[in-house]
Amino acid sequence: SLSGLPASRTSAAAMAYVIYDMHRSGAALDYPRGGLGSVIDSLVKGVEQGNKGSKVNLRSHVDSMDTSDDGTRFVGLTLKNGKTVKAKEGVICNAPVWSIVDLISNPETKRAL
């Protein structure tokens, strides 16, 4: 489905909008050259370019997003396998917004949301 979820988990509102949008004058359903994988490859390349040592970890199940002691900055991740990944400048997270709160380990940060 266009939502990225199986059809059984795609909301009626999302489908209604897609149907509305696709039936407007001049509407087109475009796909990126090289498929969606090429978009992901470009995003990874953008993050990992330069000499900062930035790295994208794909297919890594995150147990928690770790914060500074005062809860104002994300400083890394703890993976399900127990490995920690420390961030130099920040953490980019593409988890659904309704899942992020469950990943935040610091109660002060949760309250600030």
Side-chain angles (χ1 to χ4, degrees):
S1 93
L2 293 175
S3 71
L5 296 171
S8 64
R9 291 184 52 211
T10 300
S11 73
M15 289 307 300
Y17 181 78
V18 168
I19 291 169
Y20 160 78
D21 197 43
M22 289 303 301
H23 287 87
R24 291 186 309 156
S25 177
L29 180 59
D30 294 323
Y31 293 94
R33 184 173 286 130
L36 189 55
S38 65
V39 174
I40 295 166
D41 292 343
S42 294
L43 291 170
V44 169
K45 184 177 177 182
V47 168
E48 294 183 343
Q49 72 183 354
N51 59 1
K52 298 250 184 203
S54 298
K55 183 168 178 5
V56 174
N57 295 291
L58 301 174
R59 296 173 189 83
S60 300
H61 195 109
V62 174
D63 188 51
S64 67
M65 295 171 56
D66 307 322
T67 64
S68 57
D69 290 337
D70 64 2
T72 59
R73 286 192 66 230
F74 287 100
V75 296
L77 305 169
T78 299
L79 304 180
K80 279 282 189 203
N81 65 10
K83 178 182 175 187
T84 59
V85 179
K86 298 294 180 193
K88 292 178 184 175
E89 292 188 33
V91 174
I92 299 172
C93 176
N94 74 333
V97 67
W98 50 87
S99 301
I100 291 175
V101 172
D102 294 334
L103 294 174
I104 298 172
S105 57
N106 187 320
E108 293 299 317
T109 305
K110 286 184 181 185
R111 276 193 281 281
L113 295 176

